[in-house]
Amino acid sequence: RYWPIYAAAAEAGLPIAAHTGGLEQHRGAGWPSFYLEEHVWNGNMMGALVTSLLCEGVLTEFPELQVVCVEGGLAWAAPLIWSLDDGWAALREDVPHLDRPPSEILREHLWFTTQPIEEPRDPADLATVIRHLGLGERIMFASDYPHWDFDSPTAAPRLFPADLREPIMGSNACRLYGLPERVVS
């Protein structure tokens, strides 16, 4: 039922923003009793959405469609892409519309927002994740203000690799949305 939306967005040259949330399913110990259980699960929900868009053919049917993964983190994406490539190699007959590795398709369609980006104790670990993902030019700053766990645009950049700070803080979004970049003098 969402395909007409994907078609309209692709035709208009507009990206869609995907924001997941809620609970994926019942867990082994029962339904969550604490917000922490739900709060840290967003990446898994986003991974399920990305896998569905890929495997169900949305991204091949609409080759110009761009998908922004909003408020789902990004550390989950590299291992998912590796797993999809590995599984695709063995199960290509199952998804004949995927005529090339899923990593190639996903790297042409996916964008990510930074809030809530995973914050390892050592920022170099986040840089490693971003390098493995191979989509540093498709990550955009998001504050999520006024939520309690929002990221300040003055503090968050310290997390990002130095060579990606400026693109993440503005030019990546300008490129996606066709906005002029502001020249800072």
Side-chain angles (χ1 to χ4, degrees):
R1 73 177 174 203
Y2 299 114
W3 284 54
I5 296 169
Y6 305 142
E11 184 179 333
L14 296 172
I16 62 164
H19 184 290
T20 58
L23 298 172
E24 186 175 337
Q25 55 188 288
H26 188 276
R27 313 241 176 81
W31 291 106
S33 302
F34 304 96
Y35 182 59
L36 175 64
E37 293 177 77
E38 184 177 342
H39 182 68
V40 300
W41 200 249
N42 290 335
N44 293 10
M45 296 288 291
M46 193 63 74
L49 176 120
V50 166
T51 301
S52 177
L53 290 173
L54 174 78
C55 292
E56 296 299 326
V58 172
L59 303 180
T60 51
E61 179 70 22
F62 306 107
E64 301 304 315
L65 185 65
Q66 300 296 297
V67 178
V68 182
C69 298
V70 177
E71 209 171 339
L74 55 81
W76 54 268
L80 175 65
I81 289 171
W82 299 334
S83 294
L84 284 166
D85 276 358
D86 189 50
W88 174 78
L91 300 167
R92 290 169 82 161
E93 299 151 359
D94 200 33
V95 284
H97 54 281
L98 300 181
D99 59 356
R100 56 200 169 108
S103 58
E104 290 181 21
I105 298 166
L106 293 174
R107 286 189 173 107
E108 292 173 359
H109 292 272
L110 295 185
W111 295 75
F112 298 88
T113 63
T114 60
Q115 217 294 329
I117 199 164
E118 297 82 359
E119 296 185 37
R121 291 181 199 262
D122 183 352
D125 292 338
L126 180 60
T128 299
V129 167
I130 292 171
R131 190 177 71 252
H132 284 301
L133 183 57
L135 288 169
E137 77 285 352
R138 288 173 168 259
I139 300 170
M140 302 176 290
F141 175 75
S143 71
D144 203 29
Y145 182 83
H147 291 164
W148 65 273
D149 62 340
F150 79 96
D151 289 334
S152 166
T154 58
R158 70 176 165 67
L159 297 170
F160 313 139
D163 63 322
L164 293 178
R165 286 181 187 145
E166 188 276 327
I168 288 173
M169 293 306 293
S171 63
N172 289 347
C174 289
R175 199 173 71 258
L176 174 63
Y177 293 105
L179 302 171
E181 289 190 48
R182 187 176 74 173
V183 178
V184 180
S185 50

